[in-house]
Amino acid sequence: MTPKAVFWDMDGTLVDSEPLHEAALVAALRSVGITPPADLHERVLGVAAAPVYEMLRSEFGLDLPFDDWIVRKYDHYMPMAETLKPRPGAIEVFNELRALGVQQAVVSNSDRVIVDANLSAVGLIYPGMRTISRNDVREGKPHPEPFLRAAWLAGVDPADAVAVDDSITGATSGLAAGMRTIFWPEAPMAGPKGAVVINSAEELRAQLGL
């Protein structure tokens, strides 16, 4: 049965942007003389900019103020955003749900400037579209606030909504918000307890009753 609302993570779920985020982070670290660790991608996947910055300060000695650091990272990221591609199958599902009148929103731990750039790059912008960035909430994922805000904006009960996310951080947020949560990782892995784990757009369509 198709749900009343579907709330999507952006990076890695709707758009294949995680490699760009990693490349920008690596370039920014190297520009200040820090060698990125081999497990950097796994450690920052789905995590907002501020906690990543705090980790880099405490473990690697990053000494730039946050505002200077984030500008440096985004200076590397923004030129690459034009090359973004959708995650195969994801936007097709989004558009199919839209045609059916299902309420939707993009719920991201990225800053507003990244949300707008990424969605514009893949053509996923239309009047009335709902997007929640890290700048729009007090607490980012894994806190439930981002997904709960999406439910409030859409006028639906969280229990009637589905959250779709590719990270443990994001799936944990969806579960905490009381939503049926679909965990669609970039590579097969176990999800948080209570999440429905899938590995393809075809499985996603089936889980959404399409």
Side-chain angles (χ1 to χ4, degrees):
M1 185 175 182
T2 304
K4 291 183 180 178
V6 178
F7 302 133
W8 301 78
D9 173 57
M10 181 183 68
D11 295 299
T13 302
L14 278 172
V15 298
D16 189 21
S17 54
E18 293 296 357
L20 274 64
H21 280 289
E22 182 180 15
L25 186 56
V26 166
L29 285 171
R30 287 180 173 156
S31 74
V32 294
I34 296 174
T35 301
D39 64 348
L40 180 64
H41 180 67
E42 290 77 13
R43 295 183 65 181
V44 303
L45 181 64
V47 181
V52 170
Y53 168 77
E54 292 300 334
M55 180 268 287
L56 295 172
R57 284 189 65 197
S58 63
E59 295 190 31
F60 301 98
L62 179 66
D63 60 2
L64 288 177
F66 176 78
D67 288 348
D68 293 344
W69 162 253
I70 204 64
V71 166
R72 185 177 291 256
K73 185 200 168 185
Y74 289 167
D75 279 348
H76 287 287
Y77 183 90
M78 295 302 282
M80 295 188 290
E82 298 176 359
T83 70
L84 266 181
K85 302 295 182 186
R87 187 173 188 179
I91 290 180
E92 288 82 354
V93 173
F94 187 105
N95 287 332
E96 189 171 350
L97 291 168
R98 185 183 172 204
L100 292 172
V102 175
Q103 298 291 322
Q104 295 185 95
V106 174
V107 182
S108 178
N109 246 6
S110 285
D111 288 334
R112 169 58 56 190
V113 65
I114 299 297
V115 171
D116 291 347
N118 285 2
L119 296 180
S120 294
V122 298
L124 197 60
I125 294 287
Y126 56 85
M129 183 174 181
R130 301 180 185 95
T131 60
I132 293 93
S133 75
R134 180 62 185 87
N135 306 116
D136 301 320
V137 292
R138 291 170 297 178
E139 301 287 343
K141 305 173 191 177
H143 194 278
E145 184 183 355
F147 281 111
L148 290 175
R149 180 167 177 80
W152 181 79
L153 290 172
V156 300
D157 190 308
D160 294 327
V162 171
V164 184
D165 210 297
D166 72 308
S167 72
I168 297 289
T169 298
T172 300
S173 174
L175 290 166
M179 297 178 183
R180 181 166 173 260
T181 299
I182 297 175
F183 179 55
W184 186 15
E186 297 174 79
M189 68 174 71
K193 184 178 180 180
V196 176
V197 181
I198 64 168
N199 291 294
S200 70
E202 290 72 24
E203 290 179 81
L204 178 60
R205 294 186 80 261
Q207 289 293 331
L208 295 176
L210 297 175

